[in-house]
Amino acid sequence: MEPAAPGTIVTLKDVAAASGVSISTASRALDERTTSRSASAARVRKIAEDLGYRRNSFASNLRRGETRTLGVLVPRLSDTVMALMFEELERAASDRGYFAMVATSGDDPDDERRAAETLLDRNVDGLILATARIDDELPRHLRERGMAHALVLRTDGISPSALGDDEVGGYLAVRHLIDLGHRDIGIVTGPSFTSTGRGRLAGARRALEGAGIEAREDWLIAAGYGIESGFSAAEKLLSSDPGPRPSAVFAANDNLALGVIAAAHRRGITVGEDLALVGYNDIPLASRLSTPLSSVRVPLDQIAANAIDLIVNPGKEPRIRTSIPTLIPRQSSGGPQAQQRH
């Protein structure tokens, strides 16, 4: 059978006429969800292929009240972790027959609400929120509207959530430094308005307390999650005036750790020798630095699969799913402290 002329849109009616069947029969034969194995259905599919027919899945899904599309809301895609998280969500959504579209919001609640409404206006079947604020009202509004949604890499303790166990991760990072012989440990945490920042700090405190080390409050610095925030925090921690400086630092994400490295270099402090350092998230750059960065690896693929499942199967338990992170030790944390400079 000759394909349609270029520029011609082949309709379902054309396929039905060429196949000698009704439109409803042709539609059933071409439905990917219930593809028939009968000879007649195979013949319809072959004719549709020869004609160059493309099924309008969006229109047919709309008729069923769904679009097989999910909206993903992130603060920014310039953040490596957010970009990697979206890639994993996109892959996990595709595996379940969904298409993921992304919108960004910064850390501004008003921008987040507008971005969410834009996605909802496109009739997405669910929203995945990677935005970070604990005081965020959007999850509550979505619950009140009965809108399928899931939080990813964070939780408010109520809405369906898929995340790494941040407290375990913070514990692993600081326990690693303690096991290497460090007792003077500084901690650069994420913002206090995030569940990640609070969880990683709680884990770090637990490790210190378990080792009988009293945390120095002036060495616990809350910061943003960017490189500049890490630099500013490290400038305070690594100043030797007044008093001693930490021999080790746990940075609550790898961007913060990069800032610590820059500040240390500026002061002539060698990371991995004079200063032990552990980051968080294990972004691809971590292992490629001149002094490879010890970091806590979060299973983003597992978190993404959990988030999609929470959307596709909204009644399935547990509603809050945590994945266990893993410490990846590298050169930046060094060995037992032997070359401290205070």
Side-chain angles (χ1 to χ4, degrees), residues 72 74-89 130 152-154 166 196 200 225 252-256 279-285 295-301 303:
V72 181
V74 302
R76 58 189 63 81
L77 283 172
S78 57
D79 182 293
T80 302
V81 175
M82 290 295 105
L84 293 171
M85 187 74 257
F86 177 68
E87 287 181 1
E88 293 294 347
L89 287 166
V152 70
L153 294 179
R154 71 175 182 113
D166 292 302
T196 52
R200 292 169 197 177
Y225 271 141
N253 82 350
D254 290 342
N255 279 342
L256 290 172
Y280 204 105
N281 287 319
D282 194 33
I283 62 176
L285 179 62
S295 190
V296 177
R297 179 177 296 167
V298 181
L300 297 181
D301 55 344
I303 291 170

Side-chain angles (χ1 to χ4, degrees), residues 145-159:
R145 294 165 65 170
M147 183 67 199
H149 68 286
L151 312 187
V152 70
L153 294 179
R154 71 175 182 113
T155 183
D156 63 358
I158 304 172
S159 282

